[in-house]
Amino acid sequence: MCLGIFMLLLDITIVNVALPDIQSELDTSLAGLQWVIDAYALSLAALLLTAGSLADLYGRKRVFMIGLALFTLGSALCGFAPDIVTLGAARAFQGIGGAAVFATGLAILSSTFSGKERGTAFGLFGATTGVAVAVGPVLGGVLTTGLSWRWIFFVNIPVALFALAVSKRYVTESKDPHAGRPDYVGFASFSLALGLLVFALIEAGERSFTSTLVTVPAAIAAGLLLFFVVSQRRRTDPMFDLALLRKPSFVGGLIAAFAVSGSIFSLLTYLTIYLQNVLGYSALGAGWRLLFLSGLAFFASAAAGRLTNTVPTKWLIAPGFLVTSVGLALLTLIGPDTSWTAIIPGLVVAGIGIGFINVPLASTAVGVVTPDKSGMASGVNSTFRQVGIATGIAALGSIFSQQTSRDIAAALQNTPASDRAEQISEATRAGQLDQALMNVPTQVAERITDVATAAFVNALDTITWIAAGLALVAGLLCFWLIRAEDFEVGQDAERDDRGADDGAGDGDRVSEPV
């Protein structure tokens, strides 16, 4: 289980530092890079709850192993992808397998271990998630710089095959005898709505927010989401029981799950591109520098874990968001002429904030519901994390693209290069400005480079402020919504006492990705 979850979480963080190399080799736009991240997140978000239902119905070991096999095949397809469209499709395929593994990991551990052994297993499982997030940027840098970006996917294959062999030999099958049939209507409407929404947000960066290719998909997505809500209200066994929203603390947990992904984790994509395309660092160089964020998050998570038994959840999550917001604000200290050290204070402060959010966040999902609803609650919370990543990267990227184009066009107005403003904007976003200026006189090329760099940094500052604002609002809402009286008293103790057989039920169905 730890090997499986390690690979899946690694593929969320490891890809960021490889994006500029992917962009260069596959000759793609910023929108293409957004789909490399979002295709994976969309599959996870859309399939987590359905995969959990299928596991309860047909067997958790079976679904886990099928998920690992699909993830392995998807990794191979990613590594061999000849173009950005194939890579995006392969990433979506990876996400299908990833959802099956995410949805079964904790349930299998719960059915295998009991008492103190279960606590130890869960502790190791949680530590694995922290390590995966911490080492992802550096490992991605080592593989991309030392070999090729393709090896960030190829490395999954031997690990997954070993995990499959161990699973086949040692993992015992378990099911939920009371499991109902999956909600295929809810799955289809939610998946299509989410996909159309992300498509609209990404297209807004390439065109405009008023383009027909943006407004029509967005309107259809809104209609499908409304249909999804109505369908969930009418079902006796919905994939998302809307009654859970009656508890303010559960709503606060969903806001926190969405905001932590939609703010700092979404921004990391563009911060990595800045380190490599603007400052000129290799993937490995960028990975080492991002350790100021992931390393601090790892150690802060350990500290937060020790405080969870004595400090109320809201006093960890809400201040964590406020600290993250301050860290994001500090990241705006960068300018066209600053060195990479300008981002250190922001990365350190934001890393501490992330650590204090992540650990108690899981308890807001499962701690405020009865045990029979905790599997669904955890799954919904995990889904909101992935929705935050998918929509955050798409929305921030569109704003980034639009502002970069406006600033470059304004700076080049009434100059000989004014008619090439859009071409220069596209080259700037694609990290191909040097190639675009190869035949331009040196003095002119230097001027255009200065304009493009200033526009890139200004746009990065803008989306950083937006991310900081999202984190600040989330922190204030968590202060207001998360309440001690909403948590089920003694729930954890009751679940530990039920033993291995009862512990394998719906309550432990879905794992909680960091």
Side-chain angles (χ1 to χ4, degrees), residues 11-12 15-16 19 32-42 91 265 269 386 389-390 393:
D11 261 43
I12 294 174
V15 174
N16 277 333
L19 289 176
L33 291 187
Q34 289 172 286
W35 278 115
V36 171
I37 303 292
D38 278 353
Y40 185 75
L42 280 171
R91 285 283 285 168
F265 288 130
T269 298
Q386 301 307 319
I389 281 282
I393 287 176

PDB file of all heavy atoms in Angstrom, residues 11-12 15-16 19 32-42 91 265 269 386 389-390 393:
ATOM      1  N   ASP A  11       3.818  11.348  -8.436  1.00  0.00           N
ATOM      2  CA  ASP A  11       3.466  11.805  -9.779  1.00  0.00           C
ATOM      3  C   ASP A  11       2.653  13.089  -9.771  1.00  0.00           C
ATOM      4  O   ASP A  11       2.369  13.647 -10.833  1.00  0.00           O
ATOM      5  CB  ASP A  11       2.707  10.698 -10.527  1.00  0.00           C
ATOM      6  CG  ASP A  11       3.630   9.928 -11.451  1.00  0.00           C
ATOM      7  OD1 ASP A  11       4.755   9.620 -11.016  1.00  0.00           O
ATOM      8  OD2 ASP A  11       3.243   9.655 -12.592  1.00  0.00           O
ATOM      9  N   ILE A  12       2.251  13.551  -8.591  1.00  0.00           N
ATOM     10  CA  ILE A  12       1.623  14.872  -8.481  1.00  0.00           C
ATOM     11  C   ILE A  12       2.705  15.948  -8.348  1.00  0.00           C
ATOM     12  O   ILE A  12       2.617  17.017  -8.955  1.00  0.00           O
ATOM     13  CB  ILE A  12       0.659  14.919  -7.284  1.00  0.00           C
ATOM     14  CG1 ILE A  12      -0.520  13.967  -7.519  1.00  0.00           C
ATOM     15  CG2 ILE A  12       0.136  16.338  -7.061  1.00  0.00           C
ATOM     16  CD1 ILE A  12      -1.447  13.849  -6.330  1.00  0.00           C
ATOM     17  N   VAL A  15       6.250  15.925 -11.399  1.00  0.00           N
ATOM     18  CA  VAL A  15       6.082  16.401 -12.775  1.00  0.00           C
ATOM     19  C   VAL A  15       6.386  17.888 -12.902  1.00  0.00           C
ATOM     20  O   VAL A  15       6.854  18.348 -13.949  1.00  0.00           O
ATOM     21  CB  VAL A  15       4.652  16.092 -13.275  1.00  0.00           C
ATOM     22  CG1 VAL A  15       4.397  16.707 -14.643  1.00  0.00           C
ATOM     23  CG2 VAL A  15       4.444  14.591 -13.345  1.00  0.00           C
ATOM     24  N   ASN A  16       6.150  18.667 -11.840  1.00  0.00           N
ATOM     25  CA  ASN A  16       6.304  20.117 -11.938  1.00  0.00           C
ATOM     26  C   ASN A  16       7.670  20.536 -12.462  1.00  0.00           C
ATOM     27  O   ASN A  16       7.772  21.387 -13.349  1.00  0.00           O
ATOM     28  CB  ASN A  16       6.054  20.774 -10.570  1.00  0.00           C
ATOM     29  CG  ASN A  16       4.579  20.986 -10.307  1.00  0.00           C
ATOM     30  OD1 ASN A  16       3.789  21.120 -11.225  1.00  0.00           O
ATOM     31  ND2 ASN A  16       4.191  21.002  -9.048  1.00  0.00           N
ATOM     32  N   LEU A  19       8.297  20.177 -16.275  1.00  0.00           N
ATOM     33  CA  LEU A  19       7.429  20.850 -17.237  1.00  0.00           C
ATOM     34  C   LEU A  19       8.188  21.646 -18.302  1.00  0.00           C
ATOM     35  O   LEU A  19       7.862  21.543 -19.498  1.00  0.00           O
ATOM     36  CB  LEU A  19       6.438  21.761 -16.502  1.00  0.00           C
ATOM     37  CG  LEU A  19       5.341  21.038 -15.705  1.00  0.00           C
ATOM     38  CD1 LEU A  19       4.483  22.049 -14.949  1.00  0.00           C
ATOM     39  CD2 LEU A  19       4.453  20.196 -16.621  1.00  0.00           C
ATOM     40  N   GLY A  32      -0.887  23.439 -23.064  1.00  0.00           N
ATOM     41  CA  GLY A  32      -0.520  22.024 -23.120  1.00  0.00           C
ATOM     42  C   GLY A  32       0.050  21.544 -21.804  1.00  0.00           C
ATOM     43  O   GLY A  32      -0.249  20.435 -21.339  1.00  0.00           O
ATOM     44  N   LEU A  33       0.891  22.387 -21.180  1.00  0.00           N
ATOM     45  CA  LEU A  33       1.463  22.013 -19.878  1.00  0.00           C
ATOM     46  C   LEU A  33       0.381  21.941 -18.809  1.00  0.00           C
ATOM     47  O   LEU A  33       0.434  21.081 -17.914  1.00  0.00           O
ATOM     48  CB  LEU A  33       2.526  23.039 -19.466  1.00  0.00           C
ATOM     49  CG  LEU A  33       3.817  23.072 -20.281  1.00  0.00           C
ATOM     50  CD1 LEU A  33       4.812  24.028 -19.636  1.00  0.00           C
ATOM     51  CD2 LEU A  33       4.435  21.684 -20.399  1.00  0.00           C
ATOM     52  N   GLN A  34      -0.588  22.839 -18.881  1.00  0.00           N
ATOM     53  CA  GLN A  34      -1.678  22.804 -17.907  1.00  0.00           C
ATOM     54  C   GLN A  34      -2.418  21.462 -17.982  1.00  0.00           C
ATOM     55  O   GLN A  34      -2.788  20.897 -16.952  1.00  0.00           O
ATOM     56  CB  GLN A  34      -2.653  23.957 -18.166  1.00  0.00           C
ATOM     57  CG  GLN A  34      -2.095  25.321 -17.807  1.00  0.00           C
ATOM     58  CD  GLN A  34      -3.018  26.433 -18.249  1.00  0.00           C
ATOM     59  OE1 GLN A  34      -3.118  26.753 -19.435  1.00  0.00           O
ATOM     60  NE2 GLN A  34      -3.708  27.050 -17.304  1.00  0.00           N
ATOM     61  N   TRP A  35      -2.609  20.949 -19.190  1.00  0.00           N
ATOM     62  CA  TRP A  35      -3.308  19.672 -19.333  1.00  0.00           C
ATOM     63  C   TRP A  35      -2.482  18.504 -18.821  1.00  0.00           C
ATOM     64  O   TRP A  35      -3.043  17.492 -18.377  1.00  0.00           O
ATOM     65  CB  TRP A  35      -3.697  19.439 -20.801  1.00  0.00           C
ATOM     66  CG  TRP A  35      -4.958  20.144 -21.181  1.00  0.00           C
ATOM     67  CD1 TRP A  35      -5.088  21.156 -22.084  1.00  0.00           C
ATOM     68  CD2 TRP A  35      -6.267  19.898 -20.665  1.00  0.00           C
ATOM     69  NE1 TRP A  35      -6.403  21.566 -22.147  1.00  0.00           N
ATOM     70  CE2 TRP A  35      -7.153  20.811 -21.300  1.00  0.00           C
ATOM     71  CE3 TRP A  35      -6.787  19.012 -19.725  1.00  0.00           C
ATOM     72  CZ2 TRP A  35      -8.515  20.837 -21.021  1.00  0.00           C
ATOM     73  CZ3 TRP A  35      -8.153  19.048 -19.445  1.00  0.00           C
ATOM     74  CH2 TRP A  35      -8.992  19.945 -20.087  1.00  0.00           C
ATOM     75  N   VAL A  36      -1.153  18.607 -18.846  1.00  0.00           N
ATOM     76  CA  VAL A  36      -0.307  17.540 -18.307  1.00  0.00           C
ATOM     77  C   VAL A  36      -0.608  17.337 -16.823  1.00  0.00           C
ATOM     78  O   VAL A  36      -0.653  16.209 -16.319  1.00  0.00           O
ATOM     79  CB  VAL A  36       1.189  17.858 -18.522  1.00  0.00           C
ATOM     80  CG1 VAL A  36       2.080  16.867 -17.774  1.00  0.00           C
ATOM     81  CG2 VAL A  36       1.523  17.820 -20.016  1.00  0.00           C
ATOM     82  N   ILE A  37      -0.817  18.432 -16.108  1.00  0.00           N
ATOM     83  CA  ILE A  37      -1.154  18.345 -14.683  1.00  0.00           C
ATOM     84  C   ILE A  37      -2.639  18.043 -14.496  1.00  0.00           C
ATOM     85  O   ILE A  37      -3.043  17.165 -13.728  1.00  0.00           O
ATOM     86  CB  ILE A  37      -0.808  19.661 -13.957  1.00  0.00           C
ATOM     87  CG1 ILE A  37       0.670  20.014 -14.140  1.00  0.00           C
ATOM     88  CG2 ILE A  37      -1.153  19.549 -12.472  1.00  0.00           C
ATOM     89  CD1 ILE A  37       1.623  19.100 -13.448  1.00  0.00           C
ATOM     90  N   ASP A  38      -3.469  18.771 -15.228  1.00  0.00           N
ATOM     91  CA  ASP A  38      -4.911  18.700 -14.982  1.00  0.00           C
ATOM     92  C   ASP A  38      -5.544  17.381 -15.422  1.00  0.00           C
ATOM     93  O   ASP A  38      -6.530  16.938 -14.819  1.00  0.00           O
ATOM     94  CB  ASP A  38      -5.614  19.861 -15.680  1.00  0.00           C
ATOM     95  CG  ASP A  38      -5.546  21.144 -14.869  1.00  0.00           C
ATOM     96  OD1 ASP A  38      -5.070  21.074 -13.718  1.00  0.00           O
ATOM     97  OD2 ASP A  38      -5.963  22.206 -15.353  1.00  0.00           O
ATOM     98  N   ALA A  39      -5.021  16.756 -16.466  1.00  0.00           N
ATOM     99  CA  ALA A  39      -5.600  15.481 -16.913  1.00  0.00           C
ATOM    100  C   ALA A  39      -5.517  14.441 -15.801  1.00  0.00           C
ATOM    101  O   ALA A  39      -6.454  13.664 -15.579  1.00  0.00           O
ATOM    102  CB  ALA A  39      -4.874  14.988 -18.166  1.00  0.00           C
ATOM    103  N   TYR A  40      -4.399  14.421 -15.089  1.00  0.00           N
ATOM    104  CA  TYR A  40      -4.202  13.487 -13.974  1.00  0.00           C
ATOM    105  C   TYR A  40      -5.144  13.837 -12.819  1.00  0.00           C
ATOM    106  O   TYR A  40      -5.827  12.972 -12.266  1.00  0.00           O
ATOM    107  CB  TYR A  40      -2.742  13.562 -13.537  1.00  0.00           C
ATOM    108  CG  TYR A  40      -2.329  12.572 -12.475  1.00  0.00           C
ATOM    109  CD1 TYR A  40      -2.140  11.230 -12.782  1.00  0.00           C
ATOM    110  CD2 TYR A  40      -2.069  12.979 -11.171  1.00  0.00           C
ATOM    111  CE1 TYR A  40      -1.734  10.323 -11.817  1.00  0.00           C
ATOM    112  CE2 TYR A  40      -1.661  12.082 -10.195  1.00  0.00           C
ATOM    113  CZ  TYR A  40      -1.489  10.758 -10.520  1.00  0.00           C
ATOM    114  OH  TYR A  40      -1.084   9.853  -9.562  1.00  0.00           O
ATOM    115  N   ALA A  41      -5.177  15.134 -12.473  1.00  0.00           N
ATOM    116  CA  ALA A  41      -6.022  15.568 -11.351  1.00  0.00           C
ATOM    117  C   ALA A  41      -7.502  15.355 -11.649  1.00  0.00           C
ATOM    118  O   ALA A  41      -8.276  14.978 -10.764  1.00  0.00           O
ATOM    119  CB  ALA A  41      -5.750  17.041 -11.031  1.00  0.00           C
ATOM    120  N   LEU A  42      -7.904  15.586 -12.895  1.00  0.00           N
ATOM    121  CA  LEU A  42      -9.310  15.401 -13.262  1.00  0.00           C
ATOM    122  C   LEU A  42      -9.741  13.948 -13.122  1.00  0.00           C
ATOM    123  O   LEU A  42     -10.822  13.655 -12.615  1.00  0.00           O
ATOM    124  CB  LEU A  42      -9.543  15.874 -14.699  1.00  0.00           C
ATOM    125  CG  LEU A  42      -9.701  17.383 -14.914  1.00  0.00           C
ATOM    126  CD1 LEU A  42      -9.708  17.704 -16.399  1.00  0.00           C
ATOM    127  CD2 LEU A  42     -10.978  17.874 -14.254  1.00  0.00           C
ATOM    128  N   ARG A  91      -1.695  10.723 -19.199  1.00  0.00           N
ATOM    129  CA  ARG A  91      -1.805  11.196 -17.815  1.00  0.00           C
ATOM    130  C   ARG A  91      -3.218  10.950 -17.262  1.00  0.00           C
ATOM    131  O   ARG A  91      -3.381  10.573 -16.101  1.00  0.00           O
ATOM    132  CB  ARG A  91      -1.473  12.689 -17.755  1.00  0.00           C
ATOM    133  CG  ARG A  91      -0.002  12.981 -17.883  1.00  0.00           C
ATOM    134  CD  ARG A  91       0.740  12.701 -16.608  1.00  0.00           C
ATOM    135  NE  ARG A  91       0.484  13.736 -15.612  1.00  0.00           N
ATOM    136  CZ  ARG A  91       0.809  13.638 -14.340  1.00  0.00           C
ATOM    137  NH1 ARG A  91       1.362  12.539 -13.875  1.00  0.00           N
ATOM    138  NH2 ARG A  91       0.563  14.624 -13.494  1.00  0.00           N
ATOM    139  N   PHE A 265      -0.382  24.954  -4.085  1.00  0.00           N
ATOM    140  CA  PHE A 265       0.014  23.828  -4.925  1.00  0.00           C
ATOM    141  C   PHE A 265      -0.196  24.127  -6.411  1.00  0.00           C
ATOM    142  O   PHE A 265       0.562  23.666  -7.260  1.00  0.00           O
ATOM    143  CB  PHE A 265      -0.727  22.564  -4.510  1.00  0.00           C
ATOM    144  CG  PHE A 265      -0.240  21.999  -3.201  1.00  0.00           C
ATOM    145  CD1 PHE A 265      -1.140  21.666  -2.197  1.00  0.00           C
ATOM    146  CD2 PHE A 265       1.096  21.817  -2.963  1.00  0.00           C
ATOM    147  CE1 PHE A 265      -0.698  21.164  -0.983  1.00  0.00           C
ATOM    148  CE2 PHE A 265       1.554  21.317  -1.760  1.00  0.00           C
ATOM    149  CZ  PHE A 265       0.659  20.980  -0.762  1.00  0.00           C
ATOM    150  N   THR A 269       3.329  25.235 -10.087  1.00  0.00           N
ATOM    151  CA  THR A 269       3.560  24.995 -11.506  1.00  0.00           C
ATOM    152  C   THR A 269       4.229  26.201 -12.156  1.00  0.00           C
ATOM    153  O   THR A 269       5.226  26.070 -12.880  1.00  0.00           O
ATOM    154  CB  THR A 269       2.232  24.698 -12.220  1.00  0.00           C
ATOM    155  OG1 THR A 269       1.662  23.512 -11.662  1.00  0.00           O
ATOM    156  CG2 THR A 269       2.436  24.511 -13.721  1.00  0.00           C
ATOM    157  N   GLN A 386      -8.400  17.464  -5.452  1.00  0.00           N
ATOM    158  CA  GLN A 386      -8.050  17.335  -6.859  1.00  0.00           C
ATOM    159  C   GLN A 386      -8.777  18.377  -7.717  1.00  0.00           C
ATOM    160  O   GLN A 386      -8.216  18.878  -8.696  1.00  0.00           O
ATOM    161  CB  GLN A 386      -8.376  15.920  -7.350  1.00  0.00           C
ATOM    162  CG  GLN A 386      -7.661  14.818  -6.588  1.00  0.00           C
ATOM    163  CD  GLN A 386      -6.155  15.027  -6.522  1.00  0.00           C
ATOM    164  OE1 GLN A 386      -5.538  15.433  -7.492  1.00  0.00           O
ATOM    165  NE2 GLN A 386      -5.564  14.743  -5.377  1.00  0.00           N
ATOM    166  N   ILE A 389      -6.753  21.516  -7.459  1.00  0.00           N
ATOM    167  CA  ILE A 389      -5.571  21.498  -8.331  1.00  0.00           C
ATOM    168  C   ILE A 389      -5.970  21.770  -9.780  1.00  0.00           C
ATOM    169  O   ILE A 389      -5.384  22.614 -10.471  1.00  0.00           O
ATOM    170  CB  ILE A 389      -4.853  20.132  -8.242  1.00  0.00           C
ATOM    171  CG1 ILE A 389      -4.006  20.062  -6.966  1.00  0.00           C
ATOM    172  CG2 ILE A 389      -3.978  19.885  -9.455  1.00  0.00           C
ATOM    173  CD1 ILE A 389      -2.698  20.815  -7.050  1.00  0.00           C
ATOM    174  N   ALA A 390      -6.979  21.043 -10.262  1.00  0.00           N
ATOM    175  CA  ALA A 390      -7.370  21.146 -11.670  1.00  0.00           C
ATOM    176  C   ALA A 390      -7.855  22.552 -12.023  1.00  0.00           C
ATOM    177  O   ALA A 390      -7.410  23.147 -13.010  1.00  0.00           O
ATOM    178  CB  ALA A 390      -8.447  20.112 -11.987  1.00  0.00           C
ATOM    179  N   ILE A 393      -4.908  25.443 -11.323  1.00  0.00           N
ATOM    180  CA  ILE A 393      -3.895  25.545 -12.375  1.00  0.00           C
ATOM    181  C   ILE A 393      -4.494  26.175 -13.630  1.00  0.00           C
ATOM    182  O   ILE A 393      -3.877  27.027 -14.275  1.00  0.00           O
ATOM    183  CB  ILE A 393      -3.302  24.157 -12.685  1.00  0.00           C
ATOM    184  CG1 ILE A 393      -2.381  23.727 -11.542  1.00  0.00           C
ATOM    185  CG2 ILE A 393      -2.541  24.162 -14.009  1.00  0.00           C
ATOM    186  CD1 ILE A 393      -1.823  22.338 -11.683  1.00  0.00           C
TER     187      ILE A 393
END
